[in-house]
Amino acid sequence: MTDIARERRPSRGRRRGRSGDALAAAQMYYMQDRTMEAIASDLGVSRSSVSRLLAYARDTGIVDIRITPVAGGSALERQIRDRYLVAAHVVPMPSTVSEVDRLERVAMTAARLVPQFVDSHMTVGVAWGSTLSALSRHLPSKELHNVTVVQLNGAGNMQTTGIEYASEILQRFGEAFGARVQQFPVPAFFDDPATRAAMWRERSIRRVLGIQARMDLAVFGVGSPAADVPSRVYAGGYLEREDFRSLAEDKAIGDVATVFYRADGTWRDIRVNARATGPDLERFRRVPRRVCVAAGVHKSASLRSAMLAGLVTDVVVDEALARDLVSD
């Protein structure tokens, strides 16, 4: 063995630790185009160990992989951008993929994208739901400081406070960005609009509303009361039969963070909204970046209306949903 080879191969006594080895492996693999076998030889580990180190580098944010579309993105992404004036990120996948796998693949892509939008000194608003829960499980770590993650809407109902479910999502976001986490401990819907009005005057609640008002980024999904595959808010005991009747009469087509809107983007006179704890959509439109994540063609009508209403700046969708959005 040459002196150079001996110098490159770390002895067992002076290993750099997992993060150091992951960084070294990532630099050799992504920047020097070394093979896994060559890296394994240099680090004195097995090829499978190198594979695990590279995965660790991606998961912890040592490696930030970005795919830059050629010539302005795919045709579907360009069509969505031109029609809805939003930045689209289409996740390719075969039509035979199950709905569960479809959501998981979209969530994984969104989890890689969202950290690119988060920087130090930012406030990030996060909704709850199946889509955000899946996304939060795949978030890589990004070393930042002075970041606040705030819950966008209450999660309680007659069966549960919703605190455990929502806090799990928020905690994952907080851990990913080293952020302070601010929960919103109110129900998803109050029984009486007057109760909400009274709560909104409480100083503790006004403090959370103030944090929401300073959001730099919002991450959310969309729901639809008429979808074949219902969102958590529709299947989790948050709405009574009378609420569904009221939403149908008011022609609600979807919701963002439990605030409902129609196909034309109007929302103020939808009666259920007077009891909802999600953000005022007029104020929500002023959040600089609003990232919506959706999977499945059953979200098409709701997502289309949300984009036309100006609630979305960036969207992550699967290929089938993207095609439905641009079909005439």
Side-chain angles (χ1 to χ4, degrees), residues 9 37 47 115 152 212 226 239 289 311 327:
R9 183 191 293 270
E37 288 80 4
R47 189 183 184 282
L152 279 179
Q212 292 177 355
L239 296 166
R289 177 161 252 144
L311 300 175
S327 64

Side-chain angles (χ1 to χ4, degrees), residues 180-219:
R180 296 182 298 272
V181 172
Q182 176 58 66
Q183 294 181 338
F184 196 24
V186 294
F189 301 95
F190 286 105
D191 290 338
D192 190 328
T195 307
R196 190 189 76 163
M199 284 292 292
W200 265 216
R201 292 194 294 268
E202 290 292 322
R203 286 181 295 173
S204 60
I205 299 300
R206 282 163 49 197
R207 184 181 66 83
V208 180
L209 295 174
I211 296 172
Q212 292 177 355
R214 298 191 295 271
M215 279 188 295
D216 303 287
L217 167 69
V219 187

